[in-house]
Every structure is written in C-alpha cells, then in structure tokens.
C-alpha cells in the first residue's frame, strides 16, 4: 500500500444484503475492499461476498456491533429507517448522506423538494382521507395514480385510477397509509440518469437510459439512444440535486419524457436496476464508481464502452445454456430463490455497433418467447 492509500477505507458496511449489495461487493473485491452486510434475511444473497449480520434494520444494538467492524457505511435499499442510518452516521462516514435517504423515502417530501429546486414533476396532491382523495381527483382529473408515500417500489403500493368506481377499491387497499395522488403522464418514454459524485465534488454521468416497464417493474434498459441536448438537460437537473444534498455516491433519477421535456418520476439515492448494463457496457460500472466515491478514490470513466441492452429476469430464470449459446450475452444471476415477480438476475447483450446489438437482442427476445419480442419493439 502506498502512502496515498493510507486513508482509504478497506472494510465497507452495507445496510441491506440484496442483489445490489452483492454486485457492489463483487465489484469491490478486486479493488481490495472487504464487506459486511446487515439484513433481516439470514439467506440474503450478498452473504456469499462478505460477512452477513442477520438483524432488523431498527435493531440498534446490532447496528452498533456492525459499526465496530467497518470503516465506511452505505446502503442498497432506501427504505432503511433513517434513525438507523443516523446511528451509523454518528459513528463513522456514511454515504450517501442521511438527508438524501430521508428525502427519497417519502414521495410527498421528494416532490416538494423538486418544486423547491425548480425541477419539473407531474402535478400531485397529498391524501390523508377520503375527502382528500376526492379533492385530488377533482383537481388532477382521471386517470391519475394513487401511491403510498413510503415503502412502494416496483409497482407495489400504487393503483391507477381510471374511472370513479376505482377510487373506493383503491382506498380500501391503500387507505391505511399516508398517500399521494399524482397526475397520469402520457409519456413518450421513460428514462433514467445515473450520476456519481465523489467526496471532492467531482461529478460524472452515464448515458441517459431508455427503460421499459411492465406492471411497474423494469423489464428492459438501453443506454445511449437520446440526443445530446436531452442528456445535457438531465445532467443539469441532476446537478441541482447532487449539490443540494452535498451528495457522495451514485444517484439515479427516473424521468418521464414528453414533448421533448423531462419531468422527474422519482429519485433513488443508490445504485439502480436500470444501471446494470454498466457492468458490461461502460468503462466503469455503477457499482465500482459508487465504491470509489464513498471511499475517496478517484472516479472512473462513465463512458459507454460498447452498445448494450439489459434484459431483467423476474420470477424464474430462463434456460441458461440456451441464452448463453447466443453471441454477445453476459449472464448475471443473483442467487435468490424463485418467487413470482422477484428479481432473480439479468442479462446484458453487447455488440460492436447498433445494428449488431439490435440483431442480437432480437435473437434473445425470440429465444425467450412470450411477450419479449413485443416489449423489445417498444424500446
């Protein structure tokens, strides 16, 4: 170890032990880092890549013991209680900052922050009662989307309201929680921007990613298809957020694109499913750059190294041998037990040029069968 490395943390603690933590560790082991994970599940899939502490996120005794073994802490799951994050942040460096975690845990707080920073978001209305719900629908019109303010992800905790009779059904299902209604956006595309900011304020951006969701869950992601002007616009909006939080690490911003303009759907203060293509298609992956940022190392290039496109595996894995028989496919399995709707892995298709990428992705979609061909045609 040379003199310039003396202050670099060597043991990284991650709150959460899912696939994002696992891929973080797999990216960090070649850099000389070791990893500890804290997760309520004893079979958390990141456990193969480091020491796993099984404990609830609000178990402060376990959190204190966890802190004694690590040099810096991060998280792979933004629903970690802010109180637990504050407990760790009071004992050692904790990135991204707790204020970013707190803001992104509540959709209403997040939307209010966007307005404060002059960042466009779809119209919204807080809902705490049936009366509020009726007022929200009166103001925003139908269709609109009713969402829980906390804990919803991958389409969970939300309902599309298309006609008046949907309101009562949605209220019966979601009304026990604090809610928000958002105007329905007839978008032309969904996209996301991944940014990374170091401790010294250096900031880099990966190419804007075009995403396709099905039932609220990401199915396909393709970077590098948007015009430079839209990339620049997304980066300007991201810069406001990064500076506001004095952010360190990777941040993901999900956008709706309509009539050439971006509006923010939501923010994830962490590495993200739509950035998995960076493992095979970028000079430096989102996972490696997140670790570089939180440990104080120089950031790596975020340039796209070759055309790529990501397929997400949900509920069950396709036949691995048949998929890997196709050219240009990179397989990533998370080591999780199959369950309907569960993210089990992904594949990245890579190629020398756009035409070859589309041909290879089409071959994979046909191999998978079902709706994949139709989804791919919409990307």
């Amino acid at each position: 170890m040379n003199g310039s490395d003396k202050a670099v943390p060597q043991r990284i603690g991650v709150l959460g032990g899912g696939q994002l933590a696992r891929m973080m560790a797999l990216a960090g082991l070649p850099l000389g880092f070791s990893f500890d994970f804290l997760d309520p599940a004893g079979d958390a899939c990141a456990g193969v890549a480091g020491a796993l502490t099984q404990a609830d996120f609000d178990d402060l005794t376990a959190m204190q013991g966890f802190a004694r073994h690590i040099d810096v802490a991060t998280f792979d799951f933004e629903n970690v209680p802010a109180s637990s994050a504050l407990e760790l942040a009071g004992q050692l460096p904790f990135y991204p900052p707790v204020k970013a975690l707190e803001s992104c845990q509540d959709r209403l707080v997040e939307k209010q922050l966007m307005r404060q920073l002059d960042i466009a978001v779809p119209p919204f209305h807080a809902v705490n009662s049936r009366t509020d719900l009726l007022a929200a629908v009166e103001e925003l019109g139908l269709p609109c989307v009713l969402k829980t303010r906390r804990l919803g992800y991958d389409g969970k905790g939300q309902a599309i309201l298309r006609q008046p009779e949907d309101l009562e059904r949605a209220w019966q299902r979601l009304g026990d929680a604090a809610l928000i209604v958002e105007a329905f956006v007839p978008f032309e595309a969904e996209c996301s921007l991944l940014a990374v900011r170091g401790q010294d304020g250096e900031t880099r951006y990966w190419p804007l990613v075009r995403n396709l969701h099905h039932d609220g869950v990401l199915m396909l992601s393709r970077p590098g298809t948007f015009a430079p002007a839209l990339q620049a616009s997304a980066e300007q909006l991201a810069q406001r957020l990064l500076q506001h939080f004095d952010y360190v690490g990777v941040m993901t911003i999900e956008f709706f694109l309509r009539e050439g303009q971006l509006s923010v759907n939501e923010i994830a203060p962490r590495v993200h499913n739509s950035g998995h293509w960076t493992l095979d298609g970028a000079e430096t992956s989102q996972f490696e750059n997140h670790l570089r940022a939180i440990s104080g190392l120089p950031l790596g290039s975020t340039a796209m190294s070759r055309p790529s496109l990501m397929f997400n595996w949900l509920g069950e894995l396709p036949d691995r041998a048949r998929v890997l028989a196709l050219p240009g496919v990179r397989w990533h399995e998370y080591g999780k037990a199959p369950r309907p709707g569960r993210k089990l892995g992904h594949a990245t298709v890579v190629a020398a040029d756009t035409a070859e990428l589309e041909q290879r992705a089409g071959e994979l979609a046909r191999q998978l069968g079902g709706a994949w061909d139709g989804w791919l045609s919409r990307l």
Side-chain angles (χ1 to χ4, degrees), residues 14-18 37-41 44 52-64 66 74-88 105 151:
V14 186
L15 294 181
F37 309 99
L38 188 145
D39 194 281
L52 175 63
T53 298
Q54 182 182 4
D56 291 335
F57 291 126
D58 58 2
D59 184 337
L60 295 186
T61 300
M63 197 71 65
Q64 290 165 356
F66 180 68
T74 187
F75 52 91
D76 82 335
F77 180 63
E78 65 263 41
N79 290 321
V80 169
S83 58
S84 301
L86 284 168
E87 174 70 23
L88 273 184
Q105 288 179 334
L151 301 179

Side-chain angles (χ1 to χ4, degrees), residues 190-203:
E190 292 179 282
C191 52
S192 57
L193 181 73
L194 281 84
V196 60
R197 188 173 187 267
Q199 294 180 24
D200 60 358
E202 181 187 5
T203 304

Side-chain angles (χ1 to χ4, degrees), residues 81-99:
S83 58
S84 301
L86 284 168
E87 174 70 23
L88 273 184
Q91 300 179 59
L92 72 162
F94 184 95
Y95 304 113
V98 177
K99 63 181 180 179

Side-chain angles (χ1 to χ4, degrees), residues 35-339:
F35 291 83
D36 284 50
F37 309 99
L38 188 145
D39 194 281
D43 62 349
C45 67
V48 299
L52 175 63
T53 298
Q54 182 182 4
D56 291 335
F57 291 126
D58 58 2
D59 184 337
L60 295 186
T61 300
M63 197 71 65
Q64 290 165 356
F66 180 68
R68 286 195 289 269
H69 300 289
I70 59 178
D71 301 313
V72 62
T74 187
F75 52 91
D76 82 335
F77 180 63
E78 65 263 41
N79 290 321
V80 169
S83 58
S84 301
L86 284 168
E87 174 70 23
L88 273 184
Q91 300 179 59
L92 72 162
F94 184 95
Y95 304 113
V98 177
K99 63 181 180 179
L101 175 66
E102 286 183 298
S103 295
C104 297
Q105 288 179 334
D106 187 316
R107 287 189 170 99
L108 178 62
V109 172
E110 185 178 87
K111 294 291 191 295
Q112 291 170 335
L113 175 61
M114 296 301 103
R115 285 187 172 174
Q116 177 188 329
L117 297 177
D118 196 26
I119 296 173
V121 293
F124 62 91
H125 194 296
V127 170
N128 296 301
S129 66
R130 281 186 172 87
T131 302
D132 289 342
L133 178 58
L134 293 172
V137 171
E138 177 70 22
E139 176 185 332
L140 302 178
L142 295 172
C144 56
V145 187
L146 179 67
K147 300 180 179 180
T148 56
R149 284 172 51 178
R150 292 178 174 268
L151 301 179
Y153 62 96
D154 287 343
K156 299 179 179 67
Q158 60 183 267
I160 299 177
L161 309 178
R162 301 185 186 277
Q163 47 199 4
E165 50 265 38
D166 292 337
L167 273 65
E168 184 59 28
R169 285 195 295 267
W171 179 260
Q172 290 294 330
R173 183 159 68 88
L174 302 175
D176 289 340
L179 302 169
I180 182 173
V181 171
E182 300 175 7
F184 188 85
V185 179
F187 56 81
E188 296 150 18
E190 292 179 282
C191 52
S192 57
L193 181 73
L194 281 84
V196 60
R197 188 173 187 267
Q199 294 180 24
D200 60 358
E202 181 187 5
T203 304
R204 298 190 179 191
Y205 304 94
W206 285 270
L208 199 59
V209 181
R210 186 183 298 267
N211 299 314
L212 178 71
H213 293 81
H214 179 67
D215 291 338
V217 183
L218 183 66
M219 302 302 296
L220 293 159
S221 289
R222 182 177 179 181
T225 66
F226 293 104
L230 197 68
Q231 176 80 27
S233 176
E235 290 181 8
Q236 290 171 3
L237 298 176
Q239 186 67 21
R240 292 181 211 170
L241 284 163
L242 295 167
Q243 290 180 339
H244 172 79
F245 289 125
D246 193 18
Y247 200 86
V248 175
V250 167
M251 172 188 282
T252 309
I253 307 172
E254 296 185 65
F255 296 102
F256 296 124
L257 174 63
R258 185 186 182 197
E259 297 178 349
Q261 301 298 313
L262 295 170
S263 62
V264 172
N265 177 26
E266 61 185 35
I267 305 164
R270 53 170 173 79
V271 292
H272 193 261
N273 201 169
S274 67
H276 289 353
W277 68 270
T278 63
L279 285 165
D280 303 299
E283 294 289 344
T284 312
S285 77
Q286 61 167 340
F287 303 102
E288 180 177 332
N289 254 344
H290 182 72
L291 297 173
R292 288 185 182 218
I294 68 172
S295 63
L297 290 172
L299 300 181
S301 168
T302 51
M304 190 166 68
S305 58
R306 51 188 171 177
S308 60
L309 194 155
M310 187 207 73
F311 287 68
N312 219 17
W313 307 140
L314 302 174
E316 61 180 1
L317 294 168
D319 186 288
R320 180 172 54 185
R322 292 175 66 185
V323 169
L324 288 176
L326 300 174
V329 176
R330 305 290 184 268
W331 178 277
H332 298 269
E333 194 171 331
Y334 305 153
K336 296 161 69 174
R339 192 172 66 207

